[in-house]
């Protein structure tokens, strides 16, 4: 698909510039201009929440900088982790003296760079903890759940940790909560059409028109199967089945649900998918605590969708409902 | 002839002439198992590295350190980060050296491999760049001439690919897709072959003709 | 592109069902189940705002039912106006005794059906006024501005009229304000890839890959020109030039801007386009009063974008800033 | 033979057999000037109409009124709404009639045209369905036999298309695209030909073969 851009090598920087111009609540930090932070002065004493990741997934990652969510976010190139320098900048900016939680997706580059940055921050007396989003059930078996990729479900961890930090909880508590949100969140997605990384001649992967690549990652990592598309309800069924297949410790009958567009799939169709998923959840005795349907974690113009479920307990439910605001999402 | 900042720079310039080909091959390999960007990232990194001029007075370590720092501003991808970390480690080990002798080849690869292993939290045998480095390390143990080192590096990079092609990936994006990864080269391992192999090898064109005819 | 749906003939109804399940602030009204209204009890005495239009443009039209925006909205089939029956239902539901403004896009079917419905409502003693959105400068020359199609700029009229109604203004005032917002709003768009109406084998129109169809309507109505894509900045320039080419009575140096995705074009690229447009506006001495960048008026998976400018005066600026909330947009 | 609810129903069933072809042709025509949906809308409307059973005791007007009401629940598109409005108008005029005589043909088309003109706010000559109806109205003025009426309707529908093909559209979506609309048939006018023409015409297949060979 034709991309609305100038030159490919400026894709990220020009887009970030537009983002900050459109949303004065966001500003640049650091000399690489690859860290987005809250514009308003930071709360001394609040635990910081830093994140980071590759570009091309807006609103994720840096779009979630805002009250009750992230303090700062490092931005990599399209589908590449942030550099160690910007990871460090994001940590330093987030920190208000009470330590900073690095809350990122479980991708090699992102993890390694935040690890190195956290070590450097430690040298400057900043306490850090790290929690990795690992919600994509398609990316590894239950026995290897810690190795899973982090995808749309990271949003629940952002929200819960962000609310806890805003409420004045300490670093250990915020870390525990983020980890709990991760542990209780599962995502599965499917792609219907690929995306084109800027500057490339061909899409990063292909999806035969009319077929579904089920379990595909948000960068086009291969999925579990591909077959002809049948119906939204069939997909909803397989997705919910797979999300429910694993037990969650202290699993409750309340779930937060995110039906997410990977980019090109329109709201109209997300609601059709949501309708199918919602019926199944109700049939199985689940009640919804938070419902989100929209483009929250995308892959540019990739078509397809993901469903994330967070099996909430009372603590998470309260944190998910707490007021928060960023350019792409508001709760209150 | 030993390895000096000048020879490294010359080798980088040499590969820079071939990046379009390398970029496509590696993207293609990564598209089957990962997100299809290994080549683009590497081409960009090589471009950045060739911008770093050699200071005639500096040690190998100083030059490698500057290469690592420049690269570190260009990417945060897995492979890129591993390369940067390895460069830093070798840079520290050669901080005072004007040159790396052929006989030190194996120990340099060992330093790189160990750094990647601890950063990447990946064991030998997982079908990653680390396996290629380990093979090269073993193959270059005891070499004394640069020419011999170059030959053995090339052979070991090939041998590593052959040895792992039909094994499943056990790390990174392709981890659970045993079936998908079998028969496909790991992009990081392939990069070692194409980069390190091409770096010192004027016969790269021949090699290219061969690989581009390989069944897909 | 593969559509996430069950059967084509249920596309609209299942999607609306999902919409209302996901957003309890919305509910169905009328036996055709093709009117979406606010769930909370209506304010007696408030002027009602009813709208309606074809489906496939979410958040437009029915997504803008909410406080400070629409009271009810009739929903047609994909790209077809609402029936006269649902138009009537939307008027009756909106009315709280103080009359109802029908605020719709200028499309033949929509206009005729609301006209007939308004006549029927009159028989039931409901006072109505009608204002037609006519913002698409590509769809007719300046001399025929009243014949223009209504596209994304309708949102500004919704917002201003909705705020005025919420503030207790009477029907004449709300109508005057809606008309003023329409008169001061201009939109131009371009398509980069077509969309597929559900149940059809082929896309409604074609766009040669790598080319731009400039001035195309949100249903794929032919544009002003098509040429190879050059750059985001070039497009921004031509768009701003065309939007600025016509004088607006009482034109001020403040504009509200909406950079809108037609569907598949991602946020990343909207921000690149916005950056270009913003620079031009600033160079030309304009100041932005309200900035919106995102998928606000789409055509399912059509790729491309539109820019709308509303040349605000003080009254409109205040109304645009007033608190409002619907599932897809919140101001406060 | 005059027009009765039964003959109308039979004609509707007859076209219903041909909707796939009509749908494609009209969508294609609308895709060049509008939003490409005239055919899909019309096919759906015909489907809805054929669901309306004839009550042997009812007048033509009663039956047409029920057709209009059923259709009115199926679409709100421009053309659909104009058709519904026209059906309602003719229904009112035939509220007490058991049949429409051939000699009344022109006045029925006149009623339909006038209703569409006032609803659509469109003058004659704008290259819309209204121009087709006006031509048919003129051509059927004074006819006495059904067969003659049918022949003239078909000829007038063709003549209207020929007369307007190379004129620009002046209404609706295609209004400002003079250049685009020149040489292309207006989908509403084409619909008149395909529907009214096919309705009573068993030679539709021949016609289809001819039109599908027309240059695109
Ligand atoms: N954790 C790791 N340990 C060792 N090697 C790794 C690791 N992660 C990735 N690699 C190597 O990097 C290659 C992928 O590189 P690249 O495509 O640039 O990274 P990314 O996965 O960030 O897109 C793999 O083929 C593998 O050889
Ligand atoms: N205002 C109008 N007056 C007369 N005829 C009209 C008018 N608007 C549309 N039409 C007719 O309807 C046809 C388009 O029908 P259709 O595609 O179903 O409607 P829409 O434009 O709602 O998609 C045109 O070709 C034209 O003949
Ligand atoms: Mg990558
Ligand atoms: Mg990769
Ligand atoms: Mg239409
Ligand atoms: Mg049409």
């Amino acid at each position: 698909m034709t991309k609305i851009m100038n030159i490919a090598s400026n894709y990220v920087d020009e887009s970030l510039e537009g983002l900050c111009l459109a949303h004065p609540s966001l500003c640049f930090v650091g000399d690489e201009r690859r860290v987005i932070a809250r514009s308003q002065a930071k709360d001394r004493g609040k635990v910081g929440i830093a994140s980071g990741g590759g570009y091309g997934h807006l609103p994720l990652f840096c779009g979630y900088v805002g009250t009750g969510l992230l303090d700062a976010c490092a931005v990599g190139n399209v589908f590449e982790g942030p550099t160690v320098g910007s990871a460090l900048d994001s940590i330093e900016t987030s920190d208000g003296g009470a330590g900073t939680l690095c809350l990122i997706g479980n991708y090699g580059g992102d993890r390694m760079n935040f690890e190195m940055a956290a070590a450097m921050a430690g040298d400057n007396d900043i306490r850090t903890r790290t929690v990795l989003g690992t919600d994509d059930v398609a990316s590894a078996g239950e026995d290897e759940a810690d190795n899973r990729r982090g995808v749309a479900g990271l949003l629940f961890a952002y929200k819960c940790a962000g609310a806890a930090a805003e409420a004045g909880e300490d670093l250990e508590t915020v870390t525990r909560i983020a980890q709990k949100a991760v542990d209780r969140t599962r995502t599965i997605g499917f792609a219907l059409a690929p995306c084109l990384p800027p500057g490339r001649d061909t899409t990063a992967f292909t999806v035969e028109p009319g077929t579904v690549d089920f379990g595909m990652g948000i960068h086009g990592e291969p999925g579990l199967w591909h077959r002809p598309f049948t119906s939204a309800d069939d997909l909803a069924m397989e997705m919910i089945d797979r999300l429910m297949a694993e037990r969650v410790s202290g699993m409750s009958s309340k779930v937060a649900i995110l039906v997410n567009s990977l980019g090109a799939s329109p709201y109209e169709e997300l609601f059709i998918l949501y309708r199918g998923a919602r019926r199944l959840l109700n049939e199985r005795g689940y009640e919804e605590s938070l419902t989100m349907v929209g483009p929250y974690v995308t892959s540019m113009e990739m078509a397809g969708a993901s469903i994330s479920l967070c099996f909430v307990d009372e603590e998470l439910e309260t944190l998910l409902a707490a007021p928060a605001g960023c350019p792409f999402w508001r709760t209150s | 002839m030993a390895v000096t900042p000048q020879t490294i720079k010359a080798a980088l310039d040499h590969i820079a002439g071939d990046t379009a080909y390398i970029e496509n091959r590696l993207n293609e390999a990564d598209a089957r198992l990962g997100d299809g960007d290994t080549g683009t990232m590497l081409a960009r990194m090589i471009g950045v590295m060739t911008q770093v001029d050699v200071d005639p007075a500096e040690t190998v370590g100083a030059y490698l350190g500057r290469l690592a720092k420049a690269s570190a501003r260009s990417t945060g991808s897995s492979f890129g980060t591993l390369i940067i970390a390895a460069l830093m480690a070798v840079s520290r080990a050669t901080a005072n050296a004007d040159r790396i002798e052929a006989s030190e080849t194996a120990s340099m690869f060992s330093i790189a491999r160990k750094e990647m292993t601890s950063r990447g939290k990946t064991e030998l045998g997982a079908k990653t760049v680390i396996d290629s480095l380990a093979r090269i390390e073993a193959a270059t143990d005891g070499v004394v001439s640069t020419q011999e080192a170059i030959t053995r590096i090339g052979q070991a990079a090939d041998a590593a690919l052959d040895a792992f092609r039909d094994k499943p990936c056990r790390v990174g994006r392709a981890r659970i897709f045993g079936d998908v990864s079998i028969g496909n080269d790991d992009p990081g391992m392939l990069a070692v072959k194409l980069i390190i192999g091409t770096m010192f090898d004027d016969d790269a064109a021949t090699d290219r003709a061969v690989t581009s005819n390989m069944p897909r």
Side-chain angles (χ1 to χ4, degrees), chain A residues 73-319:
Chain A
C73 184
V75 180
N77 293 316
V78 172
F79 294 1
E80 288 181 14
T83 66
V84 62
S86 48
L88 178 57
D89 289 341
S90 76
I91 294 172
E92 289 181 344
T93 303
S94 298
D95 198 66
T100 289
L101 172 66
C102 302
L103 185 48
I104 59 178
N106 185 27
Y107 294 96
D110 309 40
R111 176 185 61 72
M112 290 186 268
N113 284 295
F114 266 93
E115 226 165 67
M116 291 188 267
M120 296 177 194
D123 294 344
N124 303 343
D125 290 327
I126 296 180
R127 282 195 308 141
T128 61
R129 291 287 177 279
T130 299
V131 171
L132 300 174
T134 55
D135 52 314
D136 186 351
V137 298
S139 60
E142 193 169 359
D143 48 328
E144 276 196 295
D146 288 351
N147 287 329
R148 287 175 173 165
R149 301 182 289 243
V151 288
L154 185 58
L155 205 50
F156 292 126
Y158 279 0
K159 181 67 185 74
C160 294
E166 218 75 49
E169 302 291 353
D170 65 13
L171 183 58
E172 300 316 317
T173 308
V174 172
T175 305
R176 175 185 62 74
I177 283 168
Q179 190 62 55
K180 184 175 15 169
V182 166
D183 291 342
R184 288 168 163 263
T185 300
R186 309 270 183 277
T187 299
I188 184 111
F190 62 88
L192 297 172
C195 59
L196 180 70
R200 301 262 286 273
D201 302 329
T202 50
T203 54
F205 61 101
T206 50
V207 181
E208 210 52 54
T211 69
V212 182
D213 220 316
F214 191 86
M216 182 156 256
I218 58 171
H219 310 94
E221 299 92 332
L224 298 172
W225 53 254
H226 55 107
R227 292 201 285 264
F229 178 88
T230 55
S231 74
D233 286 351
D234 284 352
L235 280 174
M237 172 85 85
E238 175 152 4
M239 294 170 93
I240 295 294
D241 281 348
R242 286 187 183 259
L243 294 174
M244 294 281 182
E246 297 170 19
R247 306 319 297 170
V248 163
S249 77
M251 195 151 159
S252 69
S253 62
K254 275 205 168 171
V255 290
I257 182 169
L258 164 56
V259 176
N260 175 56
S261 173
L262 292 178
S265 289
Y267 276 119
E268 285 80 4
E269 296 170 25
L270 295 184
F271 286 119
I272 294 176
L273 185 66
Y274 168 70
R275 171 183 170 276
R278 162 80 175 234
R279 293 184 159 207
L280 294 169
L281 289 174
N282 291 356
E283 268 169 40
R284 294 176 195 191
Y286 285 87
E287 197 189 319
E288 282 184 26
S289 73
L290 172 72
T291 305
M292 302 171 72
V293 180
Y296 286 96
V297 173
T298 65
S299 293
M300 299 183 293
E301 72 277 14
M302 194 187 292
S306 65
I307 299 183
S308 305
L309 294 181
C310 176
F311 298 87
V312 298
D313 62 4
E314 236 182 82
E315 184 177 46
L316 296 186
E317 192 175 9
T318 309
L319 293 164

Side-chain angles (χ1 to χ4, degrees), chain A residues 31-32 77 79-83 107-109 111-113 115-116 138-141 144 147 200 204 219-223, chain B residues 27 31-37 40-41 44 72-78 81-82 119-121 173 175-177 180:
Chain A
D31 12 293
E32 293 181 27
N77 293 316
F79 294 1
E80 288 181 14
T83 66
Y107 294 96
R111 176 185 61 72
M112 290 186 268
N113 284 295
E115 226 165 67
M116 291 188 267
S139 60
E144 276 196 295
N147 287 329
R200 301 262 286 273
H219 310 94
E221 299 92 332
Chain B
N27 281 349
R32 290 184 214 175
L33 305 177
D35 58 352
D37 63 357
T40 300
M41 182 283 299
R44 188 158 22 84
R73 289 183 154 263
S74 82
T75 188
S77 71
S78 314
T81 301
L82 290 170
R119 284 268 160 252
K121 301 207 187 355
R173 310 193 186 279
R175 191 173 357 89
I176 60 152
F177 306 111
V180 180

